[in-house]
Amino acid sequence: SLMEQLTFFHDHTVMILSMITIMVAYIMMTLTKNKYINRYLLEGQTIELIWTVMPAITLIFIALPSLRLLYMIDEINNPSITLKVIGHQWYWSYEYSDFSNTEFDSYMKPVNEMNKNEIRLLDVDNRTVIPMNTQARVVVTAADVLHSWAVPALGIKIDAVPGRLNQGTMNI
């Protein structure tokens, strides 16, 4: 549901930017073809008020949905499961600490060991399993260098920084 909201916000913002681009292009084309000059239009305070207020209103139409979406991303409801993710130089370590102390490492598969339906540089030997319809918290850190743990289909991307715990939630 979060990724769906992100997609709606993207479409909303692109629509506003498209309308602005079309309007500016139309005004520029009209100005190049129009030979008439209106003295009152060039020295009017009304037009200055309009082109000052219109961008402010446009920014409000973009900012309010953006703020709502930012608060939705940061919202953490009583999670049923916690997954601790540790980024290492060439692999990820996962820990399910809620139930039993289950830990495993996940390495990328070499090209010569892959099946035809697997994606190069994305498939791993041990996949993480998270139950459906369950609020899950993901705690991400790094052991050595900066990493970025992401699942684009779920709309989650968390940076892994050594010495710092970052968290996010997801509901599959």
Side-chain angles (χ1 to χ4, degrees):
S1 62
L2 187 59
M3 188 61 193
E4 186 178 35
Q5 291 295 320
L6 285 168
T7 304
F8 288 155
F9 175 69
H10 174 265
D11 295 344
H12 171 76
T13 307
V14 166
M15 182 61 74
I16 290 174
L17 293 176
S18 298
M19 290 189 304
I20 291 171
T21 303
I22 290 170
M23 186 177 75
V24 168
Y26 173 74
I27 291 172
M28 288 177 66
M29 293 298 287
T30 306
L31 286 175
T32 58
K33 295 180 180 181
N34 191 359
K35 301 287 186 213
Y36 302 112
I37 296 175
N38 186 347
R39 182 172 62 96
Y40 296 109
L41 184 63
L42 293 176
E43 297 177 3
Q45 291 182 351
T46 307
I47 192 71
E48 289 179 9
L49 180 70
I50 290 172
W51 72 49
T52 303
V53 170
M54 289 302 288
I57 292 172
T58 305
L59 287 175
I60 289 172
F61 274 112
I62 293 174
L64 291 179
S66 172
L67 289 174
R68 184 182 67 85
L69 196 57
L70 281 173
Y71 281 110
M72 281 177 57
I73 290 172
D74 264 354
E75 182 179 338
I76 296 180
N77 301 332
N78 192 14
S80 301
I81 187 170
T82 300
L83 175 66
K84 184 176 179 186
V85 181
I86 303 169
H88 297 278
Q89 187 80 31
W90 296 104
Y91 64 98
W92 292 93
S93 295
Y94 295 96
E95 297 177 13
Y96 293 100
S97 56
D98 286 341
F99 303 112
S100 63
N101 227 354
T102 306
E103 301 177 10
F104 62 93
D105 294 333
S106 181
Y107 292 90
M108 281 190 307
K109 279 190 173 181
V111 177
N112 57 353
E113 295 179 10
M114 294 179 64
N115 297 331
K116 290 188 182 227
N117 60 348
E118 293 176 335
I119 302 171
R120 188 175 75 86
L121 298 177
L122 288 180
D123 277 307
V124 293
D125 56 355
N126 293 323
R127 293 183 178 186
T128 305
V129 178
I130 299 174
M132 287 182 59
N133 297 325
T134 304
Q135 190 73 21
R137 174 178 47 199
V138 181
V139 180
V140 180
T141 188
D144 44 18
V145 295
L146 296 175
H147 297 282
S148 184
W149 188 84
V151 182
L154 298 176
I156 187 167
K157 181 176 186 237
I158 305 170
D159 291 330
V161 181
R164 179 177 174 170
L165 288 176
N166 292 328
Q167 74 175 355
T169 61
M170 61 182 159
N171 190 356
I172 301 172

